[in-house]
Amino acid sequence: MYDSRTRRRAAALALPLLLTALAACQSGGQDAKPTAATPSPTPTPVFSVRLDDQLTAASRATTAAGSAAFTWTLTYGSAKGTAVERVTGVQDYAKDTARAERVVEIPRGFPGDAARELGGEPVGSRKPRTFAVSGNQVSYRTADGDWLRYSSAASGDIVDLMDGALQRAGDAAPYGRTLAEVVSVADATRPPVKGADGSRTYQVDVPVTYATAALPQALDISQDSARQAPGPVRTTVVLDKDGRLVRATADYAPALKLLHDEHRLKGVTSLRADYALSGHGKTPVPPLPAGAKVQDAEKALTDLHKVRPGGCASLDTGLGDLGLVRVVPCGARADLRVFGQVTFKKSLQGDPDGVAVREGQDRCEAAYGSVPHAWIADGRPAGRFTTYGQGTTSSAYTGPDVDVEGVYTCFVEIP
């Protein structure tokens, strides 16, 4: 996470890498994913099954429709304005494909650390980011029109850094990390309200352990923490007369409380989700444009910690984090310039909390004062740098010593 400490000429950042096991996606080394059902010529029973099975049946009925257009919205409220992440797209359940555009709108004054956790979009930015999903492959269109293709079959030392893109491949629907994942496992306990058009509206209390399947990877909450939630996530689910999902909304206040306990989304006062579907069975997914240049992300991207000092990189990767970057010539396409790579291991006694972050920051500050001026001259804000990395601690059962290790990259941001 971003460290709030400030130092002379320093803006420090410590982002632990999210190492999420993708074993289920890599079984046999193939891009294997449960195949979506072929559209059924007969309606899938929904309202005639047991109440606690109706939402699971609704997910099957939605899949059986074959396709749908969708809008997925996450709204982050704060005292200084509301940030919105909105994804609009189409998905084909039978072919397990999707095409979507994602836009993140962050108002001026929105809490800075929280803004970075939403994907690092510039304040006021409304630039759409385009993704194409095919099974467990996710492609991202770069600003120059080329596509980066992420695969869950990438090598083990890099696939964990691709989570920001691979999370967009879902299980309950082709496009992932939405309330579709939550509805598919939710159990209704109260009878729905029937509308004049035959629709049904359910009020469901979903445990945080299941509800977080819709939140972005960067906001993952451990199962142990989720079990300590102050209450369930209040969710409203609307089905049409045929039992197909048309809307779901959720208030993530209990999950936000847990994130605050972990010093995440600081300054965010509300977190709500909205998922809407339309055009069931009438919404084709366009293929990638004919002749489109597609690059293997594993070959095209570089671990930020392996960028040589003096080198520049682009964050136009679709990942929303700094783990992997595109090494580019220093100039208009560059977002940052690396001026140092530091590693360390030290032993100490007492509480090691925060030691790695401070050590990484101190070493980057020392490097900042000694590198060639050209490496930092274009950095903005002037005179400031950022530190990215992670630290680990280990100790033996005997003795008070604690070993602290860290790997950090020092860079300046280029506007």
Side-chain angles (χ1 to χ4, degrees):
M1 63 184 66
Y2 282 75
D3 187 84
S4 60
R5 294 171 55 89
T6 57
R7 300 287 298 277
R8 179 179 60 86
R9 300 191 305 180
L13 164 64
L15 288 175
L17 301 182
L18 297 174
L19 302 179
T20 303
L22 292 176
C25 297
Q26 300 182 80
S27 177
Q30 302 295 317
D31 280 336
K33 179 180 174 182
T35 302
T38 301
S40 172
T42 57
T44 300
V46 174
F47 305 127
S48 61
V49 302
R50 285 176 25 162
L51 176 62
D52 58 358
D53 289 334
Q54 287 182 9
L55 294 182
T56 299
S59 293
R60 292 195 297 267
T62 305
T63 297
S67 64
F70 71 93
T71 300
W72 166 238
T73 307
L74 285 169
T75 305
Y76 303 81
S78 82
K80 296 296 183 67
T82 300
V84 178
E85 174 185 344
R86 183 175 290 105
V87 179
T88 56
V90 293
Q91 51 194 353
D92 188 312
Y93 301 93
K95 296 180 181 178
D96 206 7
T97 60
R99 177 75 70 88
E101 285 194 346
R102 173 180 180 265
V103 175
V104 179
E105 300 178 9
I106 301 176
R108 297 189 182 279
F110 192 79
D113 287 352
R116 297 184 185 97
E117 290 171 306
L118 302 189
E121 296 290 337
V123 171
S125 173
R126 296 187 179 185
K127 184 177 181 180
R129 314 287 181 174
T130 302
F131 296 88
V133 179
S134 180
N136 272 335
Q137 290 186 337
V138 178
S139 299
Y140 166 74
R141 188 174 66 192
T142 64
D144 57 15
D146 296 340
W147 293 81
L148 285 173
R149 177 164 291 167
Y150 295 88
S151 170
S152 63
S155 57
D157 61 346
I158 197 172
V159 71
D160 290 326
L161 301 180
M162 296 180 173
D163 281 344
L166 292 175
Q167 66 173 324
R168 304 190 190 284
D171 292 322
Y175 190 90
R177 305 296 288 210
T178 72
L179 284 174
E181 311 291 346
V182 177
V183 172
S184 68
V185 297
D187 293 332
T189 58
R190 297 186 289 273
V193 175
K194 185 176 181 180
D197 58 355
S199 64
R200 306 292 203 281
T201 300
Y202 299 77
Q203 301 297 333
V204 187
D205 292 337
V206 180
V208 171
T209 50
Y210 298 115
T212 52
L215 294 181
Q217 197 83 34
L219 301 183
D220 266 350
I221 298 172
S222 71
Q223 293 295 297
D224 287 342
S225 295
R227 294 188 187 97
Q228 307 304 314
V233 171
R234 301 294 171 82
T235 306
T236 300
V237 180
V238 182
L239 309 182
D240 67 11
K241 63 182 179 60
D242 297 316
R244 301 173 304 192
L245 177 64
V246 293
R247 189 153 205 170
T249 60
D251 183 350
Y252 274 88
L256 184 60
K257 169 64 168 59
L258 297 177
L259 291 166
H260 285 169
D261 291 344
E262 298 178 357
H263 308 290
R264 291 189 283 169
L265 290 188
K266 292 184 294 184
V268 174
T269 56
S270 64
L271 174 53
R272 298 178 182 275
D274 187 300
Y275 184 59
L277 296 175
S278 62
H280 296 82
K282 305 174 184 178
T283 312
V285 175
L288 295 188
K293 181 180 178 182
V294 181
Q295 296 177 286
D296 182 346
E298 183 172 8
K299 297 178 181 178
L301 302 182
T302 301
D303 188 326
L304 181 61
H305 294 312
K306 296 180 180 179
V307 178
R308 292 188 176 186
C312 290
S314 167
L315 300 179
D316 186 19
T317 62
L319 293 171
D321 60 46
L322 293 166
L324 295 172
V325 297
R326 302 173 70 192
V327 175
V328 297
C330 295
R333 297 175 60 200
D335 295 308
L336 61 87
R337 189 166 192 167
V338 173
F339 65 84
Q341 300 284 9
V342 300
T343 61
F344 55 85
K345 180 176 181 179
K346 59 189 304 184
S347 296
L348 53 85
Q349 295 182 2
D351 184 4
D353 186 42
V355 170
V357 174
R358 293 191 294 272
E359 184 73 17
Q361 182 178 334
D362 289 344
R363 296 195 181 207
C364 283
E365 186 170 355
Y368 187 89
S370 62
V371 299
H373 180 69
W375 290 6
I376 57 178
D378 294 334
R380 294 293 182 272
R384 301 184 68 184
F385 65 83
T386 302
T387 304
Y388 168 85
Q390 66 177 30
T392 60
T393 60
S394 60
S395 59
Y397 288 108
T398 59
D401 290 348
V402 177
D403 291 327
V404 178
E405 298 182 56
V407 178
Y408 289 87
T409 296
C410 326
F411 64 89
V412 292
E413 298 180 40
I414 303 173

